[in-house]
Amino acid sequence: MSSERGDKKPEEVRPDAIRYPSGASMLGAATGLIHRFPFFEEIGGWLSLPEGALLYDLASMVVPGNVIVEVGSYRGKSTTALALGARPGVRVYAFDPHEAHVGSNGGVYGPKDMLEFNRTMEKANTCATIFPMSCGTELVAASWKKPVQLAFIDGDHTYEGCRLDADGWIPHVVNGGYLVFDDVNLDGPGRVMKEVAELTDWTEIGVVGKVGFLRKTDPIAGAASVSKPAAGAGESS
Ligand SMILES: C[S@@+](CC[C@H](N)C(=O)[O-])C[C@H]1O[C@@H](n2cnc3c(N)ncnc32)[C@H](O)[C@@H]1O
């Protein structure tokens, strides 16, 4: 059938036309991540390549002196994306108690994931960038002292658990920093992300796959309390 009636094909969005926060294209960031660790997609977990590339890109914008926090590491897929994107000197604090339990979405978790996590870190050569924290974040966040420029929340997916994590880390995120939620298609993380977006100093930036991200922009402090992204850090070399 011809399209003379005026029905138009939906416009195709090319991955190299989608821009991530550093200015890198989705394709450039994904190529950069795979270039750094060709086995990325073999790591156990549910993070897609464009979602991992988003974390890689956001991590590349973190300025030394600030840190990255991850809540829920599982077997290290998101941790790897964050660690490989991070500039030299930027550390990733990866929280996961790795206790045996069934998550609210039916995922089965336990100590064997810690073993896989350690293997992944060794294979990806990221041991020097990561601080594995074998605990939940709910107690630690209250006494945290380091400025956080990127917090990725992918632990307890119940509304209450996710809200607790967001409430714990929000005060530590520096102006211009990012708060990222996985699984915003689910009720718990999705609702929490909407609530954060309603706070005056937070702006929802976008969603890649099921990963949603917001930026802290304190109107009093101004937009630029963190410096510019590293040139080309999210692009392949
Ligand atoms: C969906 S998996 C994380 C997947 C991982 N982020 C990735 O993309 O590869 C959820 C993980 O959160 C952990 N978890 C559950 N409650 C937590 C909490 N309060 N703090 C930190 N981690 C938690 C579980 O042990 C599980 O390994």
Side-chain angles (χ1 to χ4, degrees), residues 68 70 73 75-84 86 89-95 117-118 120-122 124-133:
I68 298 170
E70 171 183 76
S73 306
R75 298 184 171 192
K77 196 169 194 181
S78 50
T79 328
T80 300
L82 293 167
L84 292 178
V90 172
R91 307 298 298 262
V92 179
Y93 290 80
F95 288 87
F117 174 86
N118 290 338
T120 306
M121 294 311 115
E122 197 184 350
N125 195 22
T126 50
C127 296
T129 307
I130 289 159
F131 274 114
M133 310 288 281

Side-chain angles (χ1 to χ4, degrees), residues 24 27-37 56 84 231-237:
L27 198 60
T31 309
L33 174 57
I34 293 297
H35 177 76
R36 297 286 309 279
F37 187 54
Y56 177 80
L84 292 178
E235 299 280 6
S236 64
S237 51

